[in-house]
Every structure is written in C-alpha cells, then in structure tokens.
Amino acid sequence: MATLEDKLLGEKLEYYCSSSEGEDNDHDGDDEKEAGGRKGAAGGLTINTDPDAAPAGGFRQQGSTNTGPKGVVKDWQRFKQLEAERRDETERQRLDLAKKLSMTTTTTAEDEERKRQEELDDELSELMSEDFLQQYQKQRMAEMLRQTGHNQQFGKVHQLSSHGEFLACVEQESKHTTIIVHIYDKSLTACSTLNKCLESLASDYPSIKFAKICSSVAGMSRDFRTKGLPALLVYKAASVVGNFVRLTDDLSDDFFASDVESFLIEHGIIVDRALYS
C-alpha cells in the first residue's frame, strides 16, 4: 500500500529499499547490480513532483480530495456561514409569526376594555340625542332663571299713571328682573295693537315685568308722540338695555303677539320660552 511519502514524491515503490533487519534474500547481490546498472544508465534517480501524476507502474488512486489544513478551515468556515444563515432565517420566521399573532389575537382584558368602550359609546349616543339635549337645555335654563331671581311672577301688564310710578317701577325692582315699558298714545291704532300683544306675552313670560304708560304722562314731546310711537323701553338693574321707537318700521302696521315675541327674542331682550318651558 502506498504511503504518504509515495504520494508526495510520486516515486515507485520498488525504488525504496527496506530498512527492516533480519530480512534474508538470496538475490541481494543481483538486485544491487541491477539497481546500479539502472542508476548508471539514467545518471541518477528521477523524482516526479507532479502530485496529480500517476505513480510508477501506471496506477493512480481515484476520488482523492484535499484534506489538508487549508481545506479543513474552508469547510469549517462554510459550515459556520450556513449555520448563521439558518439561524437568521429561523429568527425572521419567528418574528413574522409573532407579528401575525399580535395582530389577530387579543387578551381577555382587551376584550373587556373594548366592550366597556362600546357601552360608553352607546350611552353617549343616547345622551347626544336631540330629545335629550332639548330636555336638558330646558332644565338648565329654568335652573339658571331661578338662580338669577326669575322666580318672581308678574303675569300681566301694569298700568303706570304717573311719572313717580314710572320711576318706582324701574328703580325699585330686582336687578335680575327685566322690565319692558310701552310708551303709547290712545289715538294710534298700532299702540292699541301692541298693548294687546303685551297682555298675551305677559302671561307667557310671567318672570318679565311688563308695563305701559301714556306718552303725555311720561312727559314726551308732541314731536316724539308723532314720530316715535309706539315705543318700547327695556330696563334691567335700573339701566336702559333696549330702546326701540316707531316699532311699525319693523313690525309693519299689522302685527301679532308672535311677531312681537320674535322681535324681542331676536334682540336678546327675552329668552325663548320653548327652551325652558
């Protein structure tokens, strides 16, 4: 069998002499002569340095590979590279699976929180319904009116017969009470119509004090009685908060209580009773 030296040197096996002792060979002399003859003919031994060349005798072992130190290192590096790639791929698949599970699964606590949120949304939708808001607005408005002293009830139009009554009506009333005074003249149809409208409004808005006074009693000039009537003066806390003259310019000559009500609501004098009644 060929040794490592045989493979490296490419020498024929018969070129090597055995170094074993005690070997008896009757043909030693003849062999030495034959070897010497060959050496003399060739001028010395011939060494084949080609590792891929067939050994002497025309035979080369098939399927041999490079198993030297460099080959082992390269194989080990390739193995570690493949191992790292497999580890990275496994980790990537694990992360992808975790993401999918996190998107499709929920905990019990999350389910309960979602149900509570849905219940709150349903309650909020019910609270935001138009009927509920209107009822709540009426209650709040009524409460605010009571807190601001609007619990006092009048319910009719007070006739003021003197300048002193006029001053007392305005100055001696609660600062929270709205006072509406109609200055009229008996000869004007629009003034008579407005007095009837105020009687109706006084019953609908009992917390507002309505009053009327003749222009001559109030000391108005003839020019004002001719050009400024019918007129409404609005007071609160003894101060004028509204002054409307010749209302026929806004209401026309033919008007009703609803028209006067809308006019006062539009100018912020009264609060629409539909909001709290």
Side-chain angles (χ1 to χ4, degrees):
M1 185 175 184
T3 65
L4 180 60
E5 292 182 358
D6 292 334
K7 291 181 180 181
L8 293 177
L9 297 176
E11 291 292 321
K12 295 180 180 180
L13 295 178
E14 55 266 32
Y15 284 1
Y16 288 85
C17 297
S18 176
S19 59
S20 301
E21 295 182 356
E23 182 178 353
D24 241 355
N25 194 338
D26 293 338
H27 301 283
D28 286 345
D30 295 337
D31 292 339
E32 289 178 358
K33 290 180 182 181
E34 183 179 354
R38 285 196 299 268
K39 178 180 180 181
L45 292 175
T46 302
I47 301 176
N48 188 356
T49 60
D50 185 2
D52 295 329
F59 177 80
R60 182 167 65 90
Q61 187 175 1
Q62 298 295 322
S64 62
T65 58
N66 185 8
T67 59
K70 292 183 178 181
V72 172
V73 172
K74 288 185 65 177
D75 290 343
W76 175 254
Q77 291 175 343
R78 180 58 179 165
F79 169 75
K80 296 302 289 183
Q81 180 183 0
L82 293 175
E83 186 180 50
E85 291 176 354
R86 285 195 298 271
R87 185 166 56 251
D88 293 342
E89 179 65 19
T90 301
E91 180 67 15
R92 185 185 64 78
Q93 294 177 355
R94 187 182 66 81
L95 292 176
D96 291 342
L97 180 59
K99 290 179 180 179
K100 291 179 180 180
L101 291 176
S102 65
M103 291 187 293
T104 57
T105 60
T106 57
T107 63
T108 303
E110 291 174 343
D111 289 338
E112 294 178 354
E113 180 64 24
R114 179 178 55 80
K115 291 179 180 179
R116 286 196 297 268
Q117 186 62 43
E118 290 177 352
E119 293 175 356
L120 291 175
D121 292 341
D122 293 339
E123 292 179 1
L124 182 60
S125 298
E126 183 179 353
L127 292 175
M128 294 301 291
S129 65
E130 186 176 354
D131 294 339
F132 177 84
L133 289 177
Q134 288 181 353
Q135 183 64 29
Y136 179 77
Q137 187 178 29
K138 291 179 180 179
Q139 293 176 355
R140 286 294 299 152
M141 186 62 68
E143 182 181 352
M144 291 172 61
L145 291 175
R146 288 193 301 269
Q147 291 176 353
T148 55
H150 285 75
N151 54 348
Q152 187 173 359
Q153 303 294 303
F154 299 99
K156 66 177 183 178
V157 179
H158 297 269
Q159 177 68 57
L160 305 177
S161 302
S162 65
H163 192 267
E165 290 182 2
F166 175 76
L167 293 178
C169 176
V170 173
E171 295 177 353
Q172 296 179 8
E173 197 55 66
S174 170
K175 63 179 182 180
H176 299 294
T177 301
T178 300
I179 305 168
I180 301 177
V181 180
H182 176 210
I183 302 177
Y184 69 95
D185 191 290
K186 296 178 180 179
S187 62
L188 296 178
T189 303
C191 291
S192 299
T193 302
L194 184 56
N195 280 331
K196 293 178 181 179
C197 293
L198 294 181
E199 289 288 347
S200 176
L201 293 178
S203 62
D204 293 336
Y205 294 87
S207 62
I208 298 176
K209 187 174 183 179
F210 289 89
K212 60 183 179 179
I213 186 171
C214 184
S215 59
S216 59
V217 175
M220 300 298 177
S221 65
R222 183 179 298 274
D223 186 59
F224 179 82
R225 282 181 286 176
T226 303
K227 298 179 180 179
L229 300 182
L232 287 178
L233 298 178
V234 184
Y235 296 89
K236 196 167 187 178
S239 300
V240 177
V241 295
N243 183 12
F244 308 101
V245 296
R246 202 163 64 185
L247 287 176
T248 51
D249 290 347
D250 297 292
L251 301 176
S252 74
D253 294 329
D254 187 15
F255 56 88
F256 301 92
S258 58
D259 299 320
V260 179
E261 179 183 20
S262 299
F263 177 83
L264 295 174
I265 292 173
E266 181 182 351
H267 289 82
I269 303 303
I270 62 176
V271 178
D272 190 354
R273 57 194 170 98
L275 299 177
Y276 61 88
S277 60

